[in-house]
Amino acid sequence: MSCTSVVYCLERVLNLNDDYRQVFQVQGPSVLLMMVAGHTLLLPNRCPHQGAGLHNASLSSGVLRCPWHGIECALSTGRALNAPCANIEF
Ligand code: FES
């Protein structure tokens, strides 16, 4: 049996704190590593609407607001809240 999983170390745990955000490029599209309210999140750094980078999105009460057109997505589910749009895929 062979192992096909690959593990990448993106950040040292001691560097993670609330409001941490960093973009990484790992074999393809960029990903956004965030820490929010003690939870570490890894998501595509791409708004599901038209692809804006989410690294500059505003964050309030667990809702990420895209800087381009203002679509808001719940970080708990990825669901778009204020417009018909695809969800963030975690
Ligand atoms: S690209 Fe994010 S809301 Fe349009």
Side-chain angles (χ1 to χ4, degrees):
M1 175 183 289
S2 66
C3 175
T4 57
S5 297
V6 177
V7 176
Y8 293 94
C9 178
L10 299 178
E11 184 60 271
R12 301 172 86 187
V13 172
L14 61 90
N15 291 336
L16 295 175
N17 52 41
D18 270 354
D19 302 325
Y20 175 95
R21 286 189 196 187
Q22 186 66 47
V23 176
F24 295 92
Q25 191 83 33
V26 180
Q27 289 192 345
S30 67
V31 293
L32 177 60
L33 180 64
M34 305 176 66
M35 188 160 198
V36 179
H39 298 281
T40 305
L41 303 170
L42 185 64
L43 54 143
N45 187 30
R46 185 178 194 284
C47 176
H49 181 231
Q50 290 185 359
L54 292 175
H55 58 283
N56 289 326
S58 62
L59 175 65
S60 178
S61 301
V63 174
L64 206 55
R65 186 174 199 276
C66 179
W68 279 12
H69 311 107
I71 288 181
E72 297 175 341
C73 295
L75 280 179
S76 59
T77 62
R79 179 177 295 172
L81 302 173
N82 63 345
C85 180
N87 299 337
I88 294 174
E89 299 291 332
F90 293 98

